[in-house]
Amino acid sequence: MAITRKEELTQNLSDIKSRISTASLNSGRDHNQISLIVVTKTFPLSDVQILNGLGVNDFGENRDDDARTKAPEIAARWHFQGQIQSNKLKSICSWAHVIHSLDDARHFEIIQRVASHSIDIFLQVNLDGSQNRGGVVVESLYPLAEKVEEDPNHHLVGLMAVAPLGVEPNVAFSELHAIHSAFISEFPAASALSAGMSGDFETAIAHGATHVRIGSQILGSR
Ligand SMILES: *Cc1c(COP(=O)(O)O)cnc(C)c1O
């Protein structure tokens, strides 16, 4: 008999949760320190509803067009993690509680002008020097962090990165971990580390990730 979408999502979610627990255990960490963000980009509202019914309260989206219709329907914590376009920021700030991909001071200035609620902000770090997957280079991280931290309305919560294509996640996330360790000595409030997707979240957890962003392993391929 064919399984229903609800059964499929229930199974996939439970598999991911147990893999997160195992990865935490293997790195001597408590799985309660790891937040799972389920990335629902391109998937329909009905999937978000099912997952919310299964207890998921954190959802991630990459595109404003896709997210702004879903987010108002589900009382959850909505995360934006895509590349930021200035002209979309006002809309993004209307539904997102958390932005993982800030990499430009000018974008933060727009957030300061348009956001009507407080936003938790991760700065996206570029680990490979190319701008393909977004992010700031390490040298630009500190001035951007100071700018965000000076603002009493929004909260600098941590760093985010995507492992560059063609680089071993183990190498990428160990570099990220070193960058983050140095960073929190100056910005102690920025203790969160958003790293790890379907293909590499266990490696990210081994290197200190506190937030993993998982889509396809739960919802299927896009
Ligand atoms: C799409 C995406 C994810 C989730 O990717 P999966 O491989 O589907 O788990 C996580 N983070 C970012 C920045 C993404 O663009």
Side-chain angles (χ1 to χ4, degrees):
M1 203 173 77
I3 64 163
T4 64
R5 184 65 169 155
K6 183 174 177 186
E7 286 164 337
E8 184 184 5
L9 293 176
T10 304
Q11 184 61 54
N12 292 350
L13 182 64
S14 134
D15 289 348
I16 287 296
K17 284 186 175 167
S18 70
R19 285 172 62 187
I20 290 173
S21 293
T22 304
S24 310
L25 207 62
N26 289 343
S27 4
R29 303 181 57 201
D30 178 349
H31 69 91
N32 293 313
Q33 296 170 345
I34 320 284
S35 302
L36 167 63
I37 298 162
V38 178
V39 177
T40 47
K41 63 183 181 199
T42 78
F43 287 95
L45 179 64
S46 55
D47 283 347
V48 186
Q49 279 161 334
I50 293 171
L51 287 160
N52 189 235
L54 295 172
V56 175
N57 277 308
D58 287 271
F59 295 100
E61 291 278 337
N62 279 52
R63 288 172 52 97
D64 175 61
D65 302 8
D66 188 9
R68 69 168 177 242
T69 57
K70 288 184 223 167
E73 304 293 328
I74 310 276
R77 199 164 162 76
W78 286 89
H79 301 251
F80 178 79
Q81 55 184 26
Q83 288 208 29
I84 297 175
Q85 291 171 274
S86 314
N87 62 339
K88 300 285 166 110
L89 262 177
K90 189 176 166 77
S91 177
I92 292 168
C93 289
S94 73
W95 57 263
H97 304 92
V98 188
I99 292 180
H100 289 245
S101 45
L102 184 71
D103 62 0
D104 187 330
R106 286 165 302 181
H107 291 158
F108 187 63
E109 287 163 13
I110 300 175
I111 293 172
Q112 289 177 303
R113 275 204 310 278
V114 302
S116 57
H117 61 257
S118 171
I119 296 185
D120 282 355
I121 293 182
F122 288 84
L123 306 184
Q124 184 176 351
V125 184
N126 182 301
L127 295 175
D128 72 348
S130 88
Q131 286 306 117
N132 290 342
R133 307 189 100 181
V136 283
V137 293
V138 177
E139 304 80 76
S140 311
L141 198 55
Y142 287 73
L144 181 56
E146 275 160 27
K147 195 175 172 77
V148 177
E149 220 186 33
E150 275 166 15
D151 186 315
N153 296 317
H154 304 292
H155 303 293
L156 175 67
V157 296
L159 300 182
M160 179 275 226
V162 177
L165 297 169
V167 177
E168 278 287 317
N170 199 35
V171 173
F173 293 141
S174 117
E175 185 186 345
L176 178 64
H177 184 80
I179 293 169
H180 188 234
S181 302
F183 186 75
I184 50 179
S185 65
E186 291 211 24
F187 298 97
S191 59
L193 188 59
S194 170
M197 314 181 2
S198 287
D200 56 19
F201 70 89
E202 283 135 326
T203 308
I205 289 171
H207 292 290
T210 60
H211 292 66
V212 295
R213 311 176 310 270
I214 301 180
S216 52
Q217 287 279 327
I218 295 171
L219 288 126
S221 55
R222 290 180 292 269

